[in-house]
Amino acid sequence: MLAVLLLFLLPIGGGIPAGVLLAQSKGLGWGLTAGLYLASDLILALAFEPVLRGLVFLAQRSPFLARFGAALKAAMARSAAQIGGPGLGPITLVMVAFGVDPMTGRSAALAAGHGFLTGWAIAIAGDLLYYAVVALATLRLHAWLKHPEATVWIILAAMLLLPALARRLRPGRPAPSPAGL
């Protein structure tokens, strides 16, 4: 179980498919596996929150960090507007965490005025939705391929390429020009 938890704690996306397949190979049920993923999010929350609060504290004393924080808030507001409209309501914030990562979701929740518990609940909800999608895709693909390494690589490629493809294909939004990248 510890090996699965450690894979889920990896700061890159490969931890989910590898952790899910390792859990399956060790006979861990989906509930326990999801619980280990939740535990990894709770550990992340306890590790990241002091860093986030420290940056907020320093931003109150540093003009550079204050400008950086204002730019970050503006960027998150633009991202939130693309997801769910102009407001940063809980569903929009869940989608930020789903689409980016729980730390960004928590940062957006803090910028929207949510405290520790509510902010992390929102961020973790989005991350658990992301986990569910990736875990289900991993298990379904592995049942078909029966090759763990290929499964992990295909899921990793999909995790990297599908969001970029979705942005390009979104109706009503022109694809960015190479000069705008």
Side-chain angles (χ1 to χ4, degrees), residues 38-137:
L38 174 62
S40 75
D41 274 351
L42 295 174
I43 292 167
L44 171 70
L46 293 174
F48 182 70
E49 187 70 16
V51 173
L52 183 61
R53 294 295 177 153
L55 287 172
V56 169
F57 175 79
L58 291 174
Q60 294 170 346
R61 286 149 182 77
S62 164
F64 170 76
L65 286 177
R67 287 190 307 275
F68 180 76
L72 186 61
K73 272 186 182 181
M76 286 188 193
R78 283 190 303 275
S79 295
Q82 292 175 358
I83 294 170
L88 288 174
I91 300 299
T92 302
L93 292 169
V94 165
M95 295 312 295
V96 168
F98 176 88
V100 184
D101 61 44
M103 286 87 54
T104 304
R106 171 59 184 130
S107 299
L110 180 64
H114 294 282
F116 176 77
L117 287 178
T118 305
W120 275 109
I122 288 168
I124 289 172
D127 195 43
L128 287 175
L129 285 172
Y130 182 74
Y131 164 80
V133 169
V134 174
L136 180 62

